[in-house]
Amino acid sequence: MKKIILIFSIILGITASLSAQSADETAVKAVIDQLFTGMQKHDTTMIKAVFHPSIRMQSIGMSRKTQQMELTTENGIADFVKQIGSLPASLAIEERLLSYEIRIDGQMATAWTPYEFYANGKFSHCGVDAFQLFKTPEGWKIIALADTRRKDCGK
């Protein structure tokens, strides 16, 4: 009887752990989705809400000057939000996430999301977004975002 109780307790513990992780994975995905919905709507309030104040943003893409792949660091969240907010309403932007790979350890999460980017319905580029998130008392916040930007996506 003790063995049955022990096995049942282990199963309940594993189930509770998987359920908590699943809720966190859902919450992380919701933060990422909110970012791209905000971008699509040009809604700066929606965008700002997902970022931690100390966010670090970087991109890896082709330099127009050197025609070499290079790393660029964004000037911060304020510039990014301003850039999105200043887009003309007539410019429809959409970043289509193709999948999510989310890993969580306590208060830290990472998400890997391949994407395709479209402007006014026309394919522009593709790549991968790599997110680092921190679970604050207010919920998950993006603390780092790096992306790649390529044209060679099979399009």
Side-chain angles (χ1 to χ4, degrees):
M1 185 63 157
K2 288 181 183 180
K3 285 183 181 181
I4 293 173
I5 292 172
L6 177 63
I7 291 171
F8 185 70
S9 296
I10 291 171
I11 291 171
L12 281 178
I14 290 171
T15 303
S17 174
L18 290 175
S19 176
Q21 187 172 16
S22 178
D24 277 333
E25 285 178 2
T26 299
V28 165
K29 185 179 181 294
V31 167
I32 294 167
D33 289 345
Q34 180 178 330
L35 168 62
F36 294 115
T37 299
M39 287 172 57
Q40 198 170 16
K41 293 180 176 185
H42 303 200
D43 184 333
T44 58
T45 302
M46 187 180 244
I47 295 168
K48 282 189 245 181
V50 300
F51 290 113
H52 190 274
S54 65
I55 176 78
R56 180 178 179 151
M57 301 176 77
Q58 297 181 305
S59 292
I60 299 169
M62 185 67 69
S63 167
R64 291 181 186 157
K65 292 179 185 176
T66 66
Q67 295 301 304
Q68 300 289 322
M69 293 299 281
E70 66 181 29
L71 175 68
T72 58
T73 301
E74 304 293 330
N75 292 332
I77 186 62
D79 286 346
F80 176 74
V81 170
K82 182 179 177 182
Q83 180 183 23
I84 297 296
S86 67
L87 293 173
S90 61
L91 178 61
I93 59 171
E94 181 184 8
E95 190 153 334
R96 297 178 189 169
L97 300 184
L98 305 176
S99 65
Y100 296 80
E101 183 180 325
I102 298 171
R103 305 280 174 121
I104 299 172
D105 183 40
Q107 303 301 108
M108 183 181 76
T110 186
W112 180 269
T113 59
Y115 73 88
E116 295 175 342
F117 189 87
Y118 293 81
N120 288 332
K122 184 179 175 191
F123 176 80
S124 170
H125 62 277
C126 65
V128 170
D129 293 318
F131 295 89
Q132 292 291 311
L133 298 95
F134 171 64
K135 190 174 187 180
T136 71
E138 296 80 36
W140 290 97
K141 299 292 181 183
I142 301 168
I143 59 173
L145 172 55
D147 68 90
T148 59
R149 296 176 188 178
R150 303 184 328 271
K151 297 279 186 183
D152 60 339
C153 312
K155 292 279 172 205

